[in-house]
Amino acid sequence: MPITVVAYDPDWPSRFRRERAVLEEVLAPWLAGGVHHVGSTAVPGLAAKPIIDIVAGVQDLAGAAPAIEVLAEHGYVHAPHRPRAYWFYRTATRSAEHTHHLHLTEPGSDLWRERLAFRDALRGDPALRQEYQALKLGLAESHDSVDGYTADKRAFVARVLASAGITLAPFVRRSQTS
């Protein structure tokens, strides 16, 4: 399936805020550290795949396992991801297209630090944001799979995180984790 990267949509922040309100309510028993908009849709002016990426902090990941069922009641599908995180996606009505991605993880985990630091670096540096946008647009044209597209962004992401003092965690295929 082709990769779709679209121009920045000024409605993305309000879509996130609406979803955050729902998530804060349904995840209240487990939340610690808040619900944050991450990924490219969280960076004003940046072209992105039109998927709202969210990271929510939970006090204890194992203790938050009941949230999987609660989130399913709100249209989120749980899928294996990397250790120390639960990953979910939600699709549009009558469509297989993902509209939201949600990670539950403990504040301070590798995933937590990576997602927030990368977002903040792009928000704070227009030249870096433009460089990333050019990379994403080029990769979207040359890839038919999200796996290849994501893998080819990895060196850029690692460089940005290294400048923030963070070493990018090794890539683990979703099918290899539980």
Side-chain angles (χ1 to χ4, degrees), residues 3-122:
I3 308 300
T4 302
V5 175
V6 300
Y8 179 77
D9 184 339
D11 189 47
W12 288 336
S14 60
R15 286 181 52 206
F16 163 72
R17 286 190 298 273
R18 287 189 301 271
E19 196 63 21
R20 178 180 59 200
V22 170
L23 292 172
E24 285 175 339
E25 183 176 329
V26 301
L27 295 174
W30 306 283
L31 277 181
V35 178
H36 302 273
H37 191 186
V38 295
S40 295
T41 61
V43 180
L46 181 61
K49 291 182 294 168
I51 301 168
I52 305 300
D53 287 308
I54 302 168
V55 64
V58 294
Q59 190 166 11
D60 173 60
L61 188 62
I68 295 170
E69 188 173 318
V70 172
L71 287 165
E73 294 169 8
H74 292 274
Y76 280 94
V77 177
H78 176 250
H81 192 53
R82 60 198 239 188
R84 299 192 59 211
Y86 296 137
W87 183 75
F88 304 82
Y89 64 89
R90 200 170 82 197
T91 60
T93 306
R94 297 183 298 263
S95 170
E97 295 293 317
H98 293 189
T99 59
H100 295 76
H101 288 167
L102 169 64
H103 288 91
L104 297 186
T105 189
E106 295 170 5
S109 71
D110 290 344
L111 185 140
W112 178 272
R113 293 181 319 106
E114 291 164 8
R115 300 300 161 104
L116 293 173
F118 189 70
R119 176 203 64 193
D120 292 347
L122 293 175

Side-chain angles (χ1 to χ4, degrees), residues 106-172:
E106 295 170 5
S109 71
D110 290 344
L111 185 140
W112 178 272
R113 293 181 319 106
E114 291 164 8
R115 300 300 161 104
L116 293 173
F118 189 70
R119 176 203 64 193
D120 292 347
L122 293 175
R123 283 180 173 174
D125 186 337
L128 191 63
R129 186 169 49 249
Q130 287 306 112
E131 181 184 355
Y132 188 49
Q133 179 167 287
L135 173 65
K136 288 165 54 96
L137 291 169
L139 291 175
E141 288 182 12
S142 65
H143 286 283
D144 288 333
S145 80
V146 171
D147 287 344
Y149 169 84
T150 301
D152 285 353
K153 293 189 306 180
R154 191 162 177 78
F156 179 89
V157 173
R159 177 172 54 91
V160 171
L161 291 176
S163 71
I166 298 171
T167 301
L168 184 60
F171 177 74
V172 178

